[in-house]
Amino acid sequence: MVFGEGDLSSPILFVGEAPGAQEDLQSRPFVGRSGKLLERLIFEALGLNRGDVYITNVVKCRPPENRLPKPDEVRSCSGYLKDQLNFISPFLVISLGSLATKVFMGRDVQITKCHGEIVQSELALVMPIFHPAYALRRGLVAQDAIRNDLIGAKGYLQEIGVWNFE
Ligand code: URA
């Protein structure tokens, strides 16, 4: 099981999809290739190390062959995610990719259209961004989009006075 890790008092909670092979081996979220990219973009855009924020996934166990988690798997893990959300109580949830965005928005959204926007859902204040695995496949334009969205998130949190990192 890959529960999540980071600073429990972070105002930002990153939520991905599900652990992959590396994550499964190390019991840590986002430690494979997409994790390395996420870590770099967090540093470049926010000036933070991964341990400064909290990082988790919708689904806590690796789906076989890295397939998309099934609705019943999402449901099985939803109690853990809600507990994490309540305990950390972040100002902003950054949902990585379509699945996490759907879970936090409560509906299907097109991430190509809504990435970088901040939306109040029933669960949380949410900013969807591209999943780093997608950005690895799509290249620099998608990586730039993630970086810009994260810069926007930092600006927003600074503006409302909850950026407590410096
Ligand atoms: N992709 C995810 O969505 N989560 C991880 O932890 C690793 C890769």
Side-chain angles (χ1 to χ4, degrees), residues 108-154:
D108 270 315
V109 291
Q110 267 186 290
I111 197 124
T112 45
K113 295 209 176 121
C114 70
H115 71 89
E117 288 173 13
I118 296 179
V119 177
Q120 179 69 59
S121 78
E122 268 178 38
L123 279 181
L125 196 63
V126 189
M127 176 190 275
I129 65 171
F130 289 133
H131 194 289
Y134 170 85
L136 279 176
R137 292 195 301 273
R138 296 305 296 254
L140 290 182
V141 174
Q143 296 181 25
D144 286 347
I146 296 179
R147 191 183 298 102
N148 287 336
D149 291 346
L150 292 179
I151 289 171
K154 177 174 179 175

Side-chain angles (χ1 to χ4, degrees), residues 58-80:
V58 168
V59 166
K60 310 303 187 197
C61 294
R62 181 188 180 203
E65 317 293 334
N66 291 345
R67 63 158 166 71
L68 199 68
K70 295 181 177 170
D72 65 316
E73 292 165 340
V74 172
R75 241 175 281 125
S76 300
C77 292
S78 66
Y80 293 116

Side-chain angles (χ1 to χ4, degrees), residues 15-163:
V15 184
E17 188 175 293
Q22 275 306 314
E23 290 75 22
D24 194 30
L25 279 173
Q26 298 183 42
S27 297
R28 297 178 63 206
F30 282 102
V31 289
R33 277 187 73 223
S34 53
K36 295 277 173 273
L37 175 60
L38 178 64
E39 200 171 321
R40 177 160 65 77
L41 292 171
I42 287 175
F43 188 75
E44 288 173 3
L46 306 178
L48 300 177
N49 296 312
R50 58 176 288 154
D52 296 328
V53 295
Y54 199 87
I55 304 177
T56 190
N57 285 298
V58 168
V59 166
K60 310 303 187 197
C61 294
R62 181 188 180 203
E65 317 293 334
N66 291 345
R67 63 158 166 71
L68 199 68
K70 295 181 177 170
D72 65 316
E73 292 165 340
V74 172
R75 241 175 281 125
S76 300
C77 292
S78 66
Y80 293 116
L81 188 60
K82 286 205 175 113
D83 284 350
Q84 287 175 310
L85 188 63
N86 288 334
F87 192 84
I88 297 163
S89 220
F91 280 98
L92 184 65
V93 170
I94 298 190
S95 56
L96 307 171
S98 305
L99 181 78
T101 300
K102 181 177 178 180
V103 165
F104 276 94
M105 299 284 213
R107 62 193 163 86
D108 270 315
V109 291
Q110 267 186 290
I111 197 124
T112 45
K113 295 209 176 121
C114 70
H115 71 89
E117 288 173 13
I118 296 179
V119 177
Q120 179 69 59
S121 78
E122 268 178 38
L123 279 181
L125 196 63
V126 189
M127 176 190 275
I129 65 171
F130 289 133
H131 194 289
Y134 170 85
L136 279 176
R137 292 195 301 273
R138 296 305 296 254
L140 290 182
V141 174
Q143 296 181 25
D144 286 347
I146 296 179
R147 191 183 298 102
N148 287 336
D149 291 346
L150 292 179
I151 289 171
K154 177 174 179 175
Y156 174 77
L157 294 175
Q158 283 174 327
E159 212 175 282
I160 63 167
V162 299
W163 183 264

